[in-house]
Amino acid sequence: MTREDILLKLEEIFREVFDDETIDLTEEITPDDIEDWDSIGNVYLTVEIEEELHISLGDDMNKISNVKDIIDLIINRLEAING
Amino acid sequence: MARIVTDYLEDLCKKIPDKIAISEENDSISFANLRKNARRIATVVAKTGLLRKSVVIYLDKGIGVIESFLGCAYSGNFYTPMDTEMPMSRVQSIIDTLEPSMIITSENYLDKLSTINHTAKVCLISDMLKVAEDDNLINSVLDRITNRDVLYVLFTSGSTGKPKGVIISHNATINYTEWASEAFNITEHDILGNQTPFYFSMSVFDIYQMLSRGCTLDIIPKELFSRPKDILDYIVNRKINMIYWVPSALNLVAKSGALNDRDMGVLKKILFAGEVMPNSVLNIWRKAIPDAFYANLFGPTELTDICTYYVVDRDFKDDEPLPIGKACKNADILVLDAQNHLIEETDTDSMGELCVRGSIIAYGYYHNEEKTNEVFVQNPLNSMYKEVIYRTGDLVKYNEYGELMYAGRKDFQVKVSGYRIELGEIETAVSAIPEVKLNCCLFDAKNQLLVLFYEGEIEKKELRSQLNKKIPRYMMPHKYIRLDQMPFNANGKIDRVSIKKIFFED
């Protein structure tokens, strides 16, 4: 998956989790930009990403500060799986 | 009023001996023959010298089970029905607790029973029914039985740990039965369509209404409950005018659409208990049969069957909860907060534990003092004399009508992200989504996630979006798992234990 593919997939996930079809996701978006992206929202996001991409994100999702960090984390996990 | 339950049958046999007491798909029995067969069984049991001892009934559901129950009662002993499909490890666990003196069974189950350890005498019902009844023996035994003696011990299907045997007396059964007959105006003209297994406390209603008021108990074949159209045909053909089912059974019929294409005017009284009844389901029934009488009954096995009831007297939206109503006669409700203070009917803000005092309370759990002492406790509001109340573990609050509202199990409450969440509230909200046929929400404790299992033609994304409009965000399930078919346990309720075993680690 390329960064762009991941960003597109994340946009889909964000729209579903936050029930908002108007979200246009960019790497710069932070939790402050989306109303429901607090600690609870982050749990829903984590579960959804893990389920959709078949990876485990664990506690590292608590350390992210924007969408870019999530993409980096996902790439890291995918690389670990694919060698 | 009857002193012990056999008095009911004695009375009916004087008034309506030839009326059908119990019918099955291809068989039936009159009250006179029921009495005769029960007394034959009693004769065998009494001749072995047993009195106030445990007798296990290990038979397939049918007339023979009720004959055996009454045989135990006529012989001054108490019965425990067991599910013949139950795993033998659980049978062994119950037998170890009960240490029964006798097991009544049929030839089919002799091999199965030979695989467990017990010291009981094993009697075949077919042999017992060949024996001539000994009136003198039975009468001498009944002279020694009081209404405080034990009538039966029912084992609860508890979600964890060892099954617990709930001890119920003649007196509790009669008090409950008399209340229900009056509350639902049951007469000998009623035909009651039985759904629940005889090892489940809801069947106490069915069996003892038949015995006390002389209505006919029609045992509906179990396999029909997976074929909604056939079950409605059965009800119409057999002129069943009253049912007392678990909501899951009513749900299957409602969501199948079968109610819309036939006249179900024959059904006059529709009662339910055992699970939360979603108004989305009830509204389908009310629309299809608007003139029927509907009542929501509520209570655990430890209170014979029921402690509160609500006669449906107004309209509800699909996503509104249905009240569980007010106390039955012989049950006094105490709603106690965490400090054991009484919550008054006028207080609609506070939630507390439903506790009950009265004559329908069980004696406790058989051979299990520890568990008994946990929930059958001294009334904390009475320090002057010994008075036992039962703590149900159910959370309730009052609404503006002074009716009790069920707010979930104390042990079904989970804490997620700091919020206290009641799983039942999520389920009620999901039930109101028309595309969802069945659902249950469970807590995956290891991963601290709320997981919604559902059956229905709706994609996860759409379900999530609809639910988002109904419940607060912190109550939203984290995972959604669509099942082709929701599993049910032997009582006809959603089988949460199996789902947990399949989907959750540990």
Side-chain angles (χ1 to χ4, degrees):
Chain A
M1 272 178 115
T2 64
R3 279 192 91 81
E4 289 70 33
D5 292 339
I6 295 171
L7 183 65
L8 272 177
K9 188 71 193 165
L10 281 179
E11 186 173 79
E12 206 179 287
I13 290 171
F14 269 69
R15 286 178 176 183
E16 180 176 337
V17 167
F18 298 118
D19 198 26
D20 182 355
E21 288 297 321
T22 65
I23 293 176
D24 288 320
L25 210 62
T26 64
E27 294 206 15
E28 292 70 38
I29 285 181
T30 73
D32 291 337
D33 301 320
I34 295 177
E35 197 193 336
D36 286 341
W37 190 1
D38 53 12
S39 63
I40 297 172
N42 211 44
V43 175
Y44 290 113
L45 265 184
T46 309
V47 173
E48 199 60 28
I49 295 169
E50 288 182 336
E51 210 171 276
E52 287 292 317
L53 300 177
H54 309 291
I55 53 176
S56 172
L57 298 173
D59 287 349
D60 289 340
M61 266 299 275
N62 297 329
K63 297 170 194 154
I64 55 103
S65 45
N66 53 24
V67 173
K68 178 184 171 295
D69 289 349
I70 301 180
I71 296 176
D72 290 341
L73 189 57
I74 291 171
I75 288 172
N76 171 288
R77 292 294 194 273
L78 289 174
E79 279 175 359
I81 293 170
N82 301 325
Chain B
M1 194 164 89
R3 184 180 67 88
I4 52 177
V5 297
T6 49
D7 292 347
Y8 281 138
L9 189 52
E10 294 296 313
D11 278 354
L12 287 175
C13 285
K14 284 176 197 143
K15 290 181 207 153
I16 45 170
D18 300 324
K19 184 176 180 282
I20 297 296
I22 314 167
S23 53
E24 299 179 306
E25 197 170 17
N26 300 312
D27 198 5
S28 65
I29 190 166
S30 66
F31 283 103
N33 285 334
L34 178 62
R35 175 180 182 271
K36 191 162 70 185
N37 286 349
R39 290 170 70 98
R40 284 171 169 166
I41 292 170
T43 300
V44 177
V45 182
K47 275 191 172 156
T48 60
L50 304 181
L51 186 65
R52 289 186 279 275
K53 292 282 192 279
S54 157
V55 178
V56 160
I57 317 297
Y58 197 79
L59 290 168
D60 289 330
K61 189 180 186 184
I63 293 169
V65 177
I66 300 177
E67 290 170 340
S68 303
F69 288 178
L70 293 166
C72 292
Y74 271 119
S75 71
N77 294 287
F78 53 90
Y79 60 82
T80 295
M82 281 170 77
D83 176 8
T84 51
E85 288 170 18
M86 184 192 292
M88 292 315 277
S89 57
R90 192 174 158 90
V91 173
Q92 183 71 61
S93 167
I94 292 176
I95 294 282
D96 288 346
T97 304
L98 268 178
E99 297 176 7
S101 299
M102 183 178 278
I103 299 175
I104 300 178
T105 188
S106 62
E107 208 145 351
N108 307 345
Y109 293 116
L110 286 178
D111 285 349
K112 225 172 170 185
L113 287 171
S114 69
T115 64
I116 55 166
N117 296 319
H118 66 84
T119 54
K121 297 177 179 72
V122 176
C123 289
L124 296 179
I125 186 169
S126 51
D127 292 341
M128 297 173 106
L129 292 175
K130 289 178 198 153
V131 173
E133 53 187 299
D134 185 335
D135 288 338
N136 290 337
L137 179 63
I138 291 171
N139 292 341
S140 69
V141 161
L142 290 184
D143 282 347
R144 297 184 59 193
I145 292 298
T146 77
N147 66 350
R148 301 278 296 162
D149 277 318
V150 179
L151 174 62
Y152 62 81
V153 175
L154 279 192
F155 279 77
T156 56
S157 55
S159 52
T160 52
K162 268 181 81 170
K164 290 174 290 187
V166 179
I167 310 161
I168 298 286
S169 66
H170 285 262
N171 186 50
T173 308
I174 289 169
N175 275 289
Y176 168 57
T177 301
E178 290 298 319
W179 162 77
S181 301
E182 218 175 281
F184 306 119
N185 189 26
I186 294 166
T187 73
E188 64 179 79
H189 304 297
D190 285 317
I191 302 177
L192 180 48
N194 161 268
Q195 173 255 321
T196 54
F198 293 156
Y199 48 82
F200 183 32
S201 61
M202 280 175 70
S203 68
V204 172
F205 178 103
D206 296 0
I207 294 168
Y208 289 96
Q209 288 311 317
M210 174 270 291
L211 270 183
S212 70
R213 293 303 183 267
C215 63
T216 295
L217 179 65
D218 194 311
I219 302 171
I220 302 174
K222 193 178 159 193
E223 59 275 14
L224 291 188
F225 284 92
S226 55
R227 305 201 305 263
K229 283 187 184 0
D230 292 346
I231 205 164
L232 294 182
D233 288 342
Y234 186 91
I235 286 172
V236 172
N237 294 339
R238 309 279 288 211
K239 300 188 173 58
I240 290 170
N241 70 330
M242 177 172 183
I243 55 175
Y244 176 44
W245 292 359
V246 293
S248 286
L250 293 167
N251 187 5
L252 275 176
V253 175
K255 296 275 169 99
S256 72
L259 280 167
N260 302 328
D261 54 15
R262 70 205 64 214
D263 177 11
M264 290 303 297
V266 63
L267 259 184
K268 303 291 184 204
K269 294 178 237 184
I270 299 169
L271 316 180
F272 37 87
E275 291 171 300
V276 171
M277 167 56 109
N279 265 310
S280 57
V281 174
L282 183 58
N283 284 339
I284 297 173
W285 279 86
R286 291 180 74 186
K287 198 174 162 202
I289 319 174
D291 297 331
F293 169 98
Y294 295 87
N296 186 24
L297 283 67
F298 181 86
T301 308
E302 286 85 343
L303 297 170
T304 310
D305 180 27
I306 291 304
C307 58
T308 75
Y309 73 118
Y310 169 67
V311 175
V312 181
D313 59 355
R314 56 183 188 270
D315 292 335
F316 292 90
K317 289 186 196 134
D318 280 357
D319 53 1
E320 267 184 292
L322 193 64
I324 57 168
K326 300 200 174 200
C328 308
K329 210 190 243 178
N330 296 315
D332 184 31
I333 301 295
L334 310 172
V335 181
L336 300 178
D337 68 13
Q339 286 74 43
N340 280 333
H341 296 137
L342 188 70
I343 296 173
E344 301 288 345
E345 258 185 55
T346 47
D347 178 355
T348 55
D349 297 324
S350 308
M351 188 158 72
E353 183 179 358
L354 178 70
C355 300
V356 180
R357 51 184 290 282
S359 56
I360 54 167
I361 300 183
Y363 287 159
Y365 300 118
Y366 200 82
H367 203 177
N368 193 339
E369 202 177 336
E370 191 190 336
K371 291 282 177 199
T372 301
N373 292 341
E374 279 174 20
V375 287
F376 294 89
V377 298
Q378 173 66 25
N379 180 355
L381 308 177
N382 179 2
S383 58
M384 306 308 278
Y385 56 88
K386 189 168 165 60
E387 184 195 19
V388 174
I389 63 164
Y390 173 65
R391 303 195 73 111
T392 63
D394 293 313
L395 298 168
V396 292
K397 61 197 295 187
Y398 288 104
N399 67 9
E400 67 271 32
Y401 299 94
E403 297 158 344
L404 287 164
M405 303 297 296
Y406 178 69
R409 290 282 307 161
K410 251 165 80 176
D411 45 8
F412 271 24
Q413 265 200 340
V414 296
K415 218 170 176 183
V416 184
S417 307
Y419 289 93
R420 201 169 281 283
I421 293 172
E422 172 47 50
L423 299 175
E425 269 187 72
I426 302 172
E427 294 173 0
T428 302
V430 177
S431 298
I433 298 171
E435 295 90 341
V436 177
K437 271 191 177 172
L438 296 162
N439 83 92
C440 92
C441 190
L442 299 174
F443 183 59
D444 176 356
K446 186 170 179 251
N447 298 305
Q448 293 285 299
L449 299 176
L450 296 167
V451 186
L452 183 79
F453 296 87
Y454 70 100
E455 189 186 316
E457 292 305 311
I458 183 168
E459 291 301 320
K460 179 187 97 179
K461 190 177 173 188
E462 176 58 22
L463 174 56
R464 185 178 214 154
S465 172
Q466 288 203 41
L467 195 55
N468 214 2
K469 297 173 183 73
K470 294 178 186 292
I471 54 174
R473 198 164 55 90
Y474 64 84
M475 280 172 61
M476 289 291 288
H478 297 94
K479 285 190 172 185
Y480 299 73
I481 298 180
R482 183 153 86 177
L483 302 176
D484 290 338
Q485 213 168 15
M486 196 65 86
F488 290 100
N489 64 20
N491 294 342
K493 300 194 212 176
I494 290 175
D495 190 348
R496 292 162 194 273
V497 179
S498 298
I499 297 175
K500 271 189 175 172
K501 272 188 194 155
I502 295 167
F503 290 96
F504 296 169
E505 297 164 46
D506 303 328

